[in-house]
């Protein structure tokens, strides 16, 4: 039952390298008459890129969503917190609209949680002040509206999470 296994070892001093494959050689050997058409099909066609290279880059407006001025105003609004709720007014859903012109005029349409909110007199002034300090904003106006009334459905998911509503 005890079988003895023997392993034979052969010592090799060198090994011949296998021949390297050459694409040109394979084309010539296999299809001599078709090699010209195959090579042509792999050449880069200039007309393929002409339409792409002729396109002009799309210049985004700095005052539209995604633009530097617009995003600067939104970031400024995210720095303002409702004193009774630990969430910024943007995520709280109090900002209904942000309009920024290319000349740097910003108009913010906003509401408050209720018309009897304790900061009803001071919050629009603070919003106007903060927005007017954004680089590139020349003037800022705040429109305080009550219609549609604010409700918790206007909050972002981040605000709901912060308040334990998710």
């Amino acid at each position: 039952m005890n079988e003895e296994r023997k392993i034979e070892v052969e010592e090799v001093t060198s090994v011949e390298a296998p021949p390297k494959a050459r694409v040109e050689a394979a084309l010539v050997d296999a299809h001599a008459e078709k090699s010209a058409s195959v090579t042509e099909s792999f050449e880069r066609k200039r007309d393929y890129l002409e339409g792409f290279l002729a396109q002009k880059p799309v210049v985004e407006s700095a005052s539209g969503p995604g633009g530097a001025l617009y995003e600067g105003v939104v970031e400024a609004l995210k720095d303002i917190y409702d004193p009774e709720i630990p969430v910024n007014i943007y995520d709280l859903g109090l900002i209904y609209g942000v309009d920024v012109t290319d000349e740097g005029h910003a108009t913010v349409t906003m509401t408050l949680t209720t018309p009897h909110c304790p900061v009803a007199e001071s919050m629009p002034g603070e919003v106007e002040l903060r927005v007017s300090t954004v680089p590139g904003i020349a003037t800022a106006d705040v429109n305080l509206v009550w219609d549609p009334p604010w409700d918790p459905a206007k909050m972002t998911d981040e605000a709901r999470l912060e308040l334990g509503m998710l």
Side-chain angles (χ1 to χ4, degrees):
M1 289 209 171
N2 233 354
E3 289 183 32
E4 202 173 297
R5 293 187 181 181
K6 290 185 180 181
I7 299 175
E8 290 185 32
V9 177
E10 180 181 344
E11 194 170 314
V12 179
T13 56
S14 68
V15 176
E16 259 186 62
K20 294 184 178 181
R22 302 237 183 255
V23 174
E24 297 86 22
L27 289 174
V28 171
D29 292 346
H31 308 288
E33 68 278 352
K34 292 184 179 181
S35 66
S37 66
V38 171
T39 304
E40 285 176 9
S41 68
F42 287 111
E43 286 180 4
R44 183 177 179 156
K45 305 284 184 193
R46 291 246 175 238
D47 63 343
Y48 174 75
L49 293 175
E50 281 179 18
F52 175 76
L53 295 174
Q55 290 179 351
K56 300 292 182 210
V58 177
V59 179
E60 290 185 20
S61 171
S63 60
L69 279 178
Y70 181 89
E71 294 303 322
V73 170
V74 169
E75 287 304 313
L77 294 171
K78 287 183 176 182
D79 285 341
I80 304 170
Y81 284 79
D82 186 301
E84 297 174 328
I85 305 170
V87 175
N88 69 65
I89 64 171
Y90 191 84
D91 289 336
L92 197 55
L94 297 178
I95 304 301
Y96 286 175
V98 175
D99 295 316
V100 182
T101 66
D102 289 332
E103 294 80 33
H105 179 76
T107 303
V108 177
T109 303
M110 66 173 292
T111 191
L112 297 171
T113 52
T114 68
H116 305 293
C117 182
V119 293
E121 291 182 23
S122 63
M123 183 68 74
E126 183 177 355
V127 169
E128 183 178 340
L129 182 67
R130 293 279 183 103
V131 169
S132 65
T133 62
V134 172
I137 297 297
T139 59
D141 289 324
V142 176
N143 295 327
L144 186 61
V145 297
W146 302 110
D147 189 36
W150 178 86
D151 65 76
K154 295 183 181 343
M155 292 191 297
T156 63
D157 288 341
E158 291 83 11
R160 287 191 186 117
L161 184 64
E162 181 71 30
L163 296 174
M165 297 173 74
L166 275 184

